[in-house]
Amino acid sequence: MGPNWCLLPPELLQFIAEKATSLADYIRFRAVCRPWRSASSPRPRHLPIQVPWLMLPYNSYGIGDSTRLFYDLSASKIHRIHLPETRRAQVCGSSYGWLVLHNGQVTSLFNPITRATISLPPYTVPPSDLGIAPLNVQNAAIFLGDCCINNSALCSTHNFSVGKAILTSSPMDTGCMVIVHTSSLWELAFCKIGDERWTVIQYHGVGPTDWYDVCDLSYINGVLYTLNPDGFVTMYNLISPSKTELDCEPISSNIYLAQGVDGDVLLIYYHGITYDDGILGREIEHTVYKLSNDGEPTWIKVNDVGKNVFFVGGGCQAFSLSSDHLQLPGSAKCVYYDSRRTEREQGYLSWYNHKIKLGKLDNETVTDISGDLGSFQINGCWLKSLWLTPSLL
C-alpha cells in the first residue's frame, strides 16, 4: 500500500502550498482533498502577479448562456467559465483581478475566480460633493427634469450608466477606492469600499453628451488622470481637492493612459500598421509617450520602455506590468494587445475577428501569438474585450 498523502502534517502541507507560484497550480493543490484544502489559505498572499487573461466580448443583454471566454496567455488556451453573475451586466472595468459590473442602478465588484462579490453604493442615493467643479444645478435641471437635489448635489434616477471604472488598489486593501465615469449628471465620482454614497469629483454639464469628454481614467501616485478623445489630460488631486489641465499638445486619438512600473504617467498611442504608397513601412502598431514635468508639462516619446510590459484591451484599457513578475519569455519592452479586424458586415452590424498580437517596441516587429480567437460583434450590447489579472485575493 502506498503512502497516504492526505496524512501529511498540516505545517508541511502549508509549506508546500506556499511554494506554488502559479494560481492554477495552487487551485489544483487545494482541490486534492479536504486536509490539503484546510492547510492552505483560500486567499494566499504569496502568489506573484499572474499573467493576464483576455476576456473576450459577450452580449450583455443576456442573449445566450452565461459562459464567458478567457484566453490564458501563459497556458495558450481558452478557459470557459460559467459566470451567471455577469448575465445582463456590463463589465465597465477590470483592476487587480476584479471586474466592475454595472446593471441598472447597481454597480458591484466581482472576482470571477473566487466568485466573491462586493456591493457598492446605489446611485439612487444623492452623492456628496468633493468640491472640484461644483455641481451646476441650474444647467443640470435644463437637461434632466427627473432628478433629486440635495445640498446642490444631483442624482439621476433614470438612464444611469457607467462608461468606465477603475480601482485604486486591491479591494482587500484598506482605503481602496472605486472611481467611475458615468453618462449621468455626475460625470466623475468615487467611493471607498464600505461607503454608503458616492462622492462627486466633477460636474460641468452643458449638454447631455458631456460624458464623452472622458474616454480613459488612470489613478497614479494619488492623482486621478483623465483623458479626452482629443488627447488632452486633466489631473485631479483628491486629497487637496484641485484640478489641473495639462498645458501640452495632444498626440492624437486612439490613445490610452497607463502607469509605468516606475510610477511614470504614460500614454500608449495606437496608430495601426503604417504604409507608404501601399508598401509596409513598419509593423509595430503602438508608440509610448511619457509625461515630463521638467518645466512645462509635455509628452516625450519613449524609445526604451525598460521593464514595462503593456496590455491593451478593446475598451480604452491599458496597464503595465514589470517583466520581472511575468513568466513570459522575451516579454520586456513589448505590448500584448487584442488585434481586431473586420470580418464581415451585415446591415448595421459588424463582426470582428480577434487575435492577440505581441508588438516588440525595440525592434518594431509584430507576432501573432494566439491564432484566431473567434468572431464577435462590437456593437451596442456587445462588450469589448478587456484584460483580467486573475487573483485569489
Side-chain angles (χ1 to χ4, degrees):
M1 180 180 294
N4 189 341
W5 296 104
C6 293
L7 299 180
L8 289 174
E11 59 272 18
L12 179 58
L13 289 172
Q14 181 180 357
F15 176 80
I16 297 173
E18 292 178 353
K19 292 299 181 180
T21 58
S22 164
L23 181 144
D25 289 343
Y26 189 85
I27 291 176
R28 294 187 187 103
F29 179 92
R30 300 193 75 241
V32 169
C33 59
R34 183 174 298 176
W36 287 36
R37 185 165 54 253
S38 299
S40 53
S41 171
R43 291 181 174 175
R45 293 191 173 271
H46 75 278
L47 289 177
I49 297 175
Q50 300 295 297
V51 175
W53 296 356
L54 183 70
M55 185 178 185
L56 294 169
Y58 71 91
N59 192 315
S60 64
Y61 278 9
I63 300 174
D65 61 23
S66 299
T67 299
R68 307 296 173 231
L69 307 181
F70 297 84
Y71 183 82
D72 183 346
L73 272 178
S74 61
S76 299
K77 63 179 293 186
I78 290 181
H79 299 293
R80 300 176 180 271
I81 305 178
H82 182 62
L83 299 176
E85 296 87 348
T86 62
R87 190 174 179 85
R88 296 187 180 278
Q90 291 184 328
V91 179
C92 45
S94 171
S95 301
Y96 301 95
W98 291 73
L99 301 176
V100 184
L101 303 182
H102 178 74
N103 189 350
Q105 295 291 339
V106 178
T107 298
S108 60
L109 305 182
F110 174 65
N111 187 321
I113 306 301
T114 65
R115 307 291 289 273
T117 299
I118 299 176
S119 299
L120 298 177
Y123 296 106
T124 52
V125 178
S128 303
D129 183 4
L130 187 62
I132 299 178
L135 300 177
N136 188 326
V137 177
Q138 181 177 0
N139 286 349
I142 296 175
F143 298 102
L144 182 63
D146 190 3
C147 60
C148 50
I149 301 177
N150 180 19
N151 297 325
S152 298
L154 287 175
C155 174
S156 168
T157 57
H158 294 294
N159 300 322
F160 196 106
S161 66
V162 177
K164 175 151 187 179
I166 59 173
L167 277 64
T168 59
S169 62
S170 167
M172 299 297 102
D173 297 339
T174 303
C176 169
M177 293 190 297
V178 182
I179 303 176
V180 297
H181 171 242
T182 77
S183 60
S184 75
L185 293 171
W186 299 5
E187 187 175 53
L188 293 172
F190 72 90
C191 73
K192 293 183 178 180
I193 305 297
D195 281 355
E196 296 182 355
R197 66 179 64 226
W198 293 85
T199 297
V200 171
I201 299 173
Q202 178 179 2
Y203 168 74
H204 58 227
V206 295
T209 60
D210 279 343
W211 66 287
Y212 287 110
D213 288 345
V214 175
C215 64
D216 200 6
L217 312 171
S218 190
Y219 188 79
I220 303 173
N221 298 328
V223 176
L224 172 66
Y225 293 81
T226 65
L227 174 71
N228 79 357
D230 294 323
F232 289 98
V233 175
T234 304
M235 300 169 51
Y236 296 86
N237 188 323
L238 306 186
I239 306 300
S240 302
S242 62
K243 177 179 70 172
T244 304
E245 295 182 355
L246 298 184
D247 185 19
C248 52
E249 292 296 324
I251 298 171
S252 178
S253 57
N254 299 319
I255 51 182
Y256 309 83
L257 275 169
Q259 178 179 1
V261 295
D262 294 325
D264 296 322
V265 182
L266 303 174
L267 283 181
I268 305 173
Y269 167 39
Y270 174 81
H271 47 72
I273 297 176
T274 60
Y275 292 89
D276 185 8
D277 293 331
I279 300 176
L280 178 64
R282 61 178 183 176
E283 292 185 87
I284 188 65
E285 300 186 88
H286 296 83
T287 304
V288 179
Y289 295 83
K290 180 177 72 172
L291 179 64
S292 172
N293 286 312
D294 295 335
E296 290 294 327
T298 185
W299 296 107
I300 300 175
K301 181 179 178 181
V302 179
N303 295 317
D304 185 355
V305 297
K307 296 182 178 181
N308 285 290
V309 180
F310 299 102
F311 296 85
V312 177
C316 287
Q317 180 205 29
F319 61 91
S320 175
L321 298 176
S322 172
S323 57
D324 289 343
H325 300 154
L326 300 176
Q327 298 178 354
L328 291 173
S331 62
K333 305 177 183 179
C334 66
V335 180
Y336 289 90
Y337 61 103
D338 177 14
S339 177
R340 305 179 305 278
R341 295 294 182 267
T342 304
E343 182 186 64
R344 70 182 187 275
E345 295 185 0
Q346 182 179 358
Y348 66 92
L349 299 178
S350 298
W351 295 79
Y352 293 83
N353 177 272
H354 288 249
K355 60 178 60 177
I356 298 176
K357 289 187 176 182
L358 170 63
K360 298 290 289 184
L361 296 170
D362 51 358
N363 59 17
E364 300 188 344
T365 60
V366 173
T367 304
D368 179 359
I369 63 172
S370 70
D372 186 2
L373 297 179
S375 180
F376 306 89
Q377 292 183 38
I378 308 183
N379 306 293
C381 59
W382 280 81
L383 299 182
K384 296 182 179 180
S385 63
L386 78 166
W387 291 97
L388 169 80
T389 306
S391 173
L392 292 174
L393 295 177

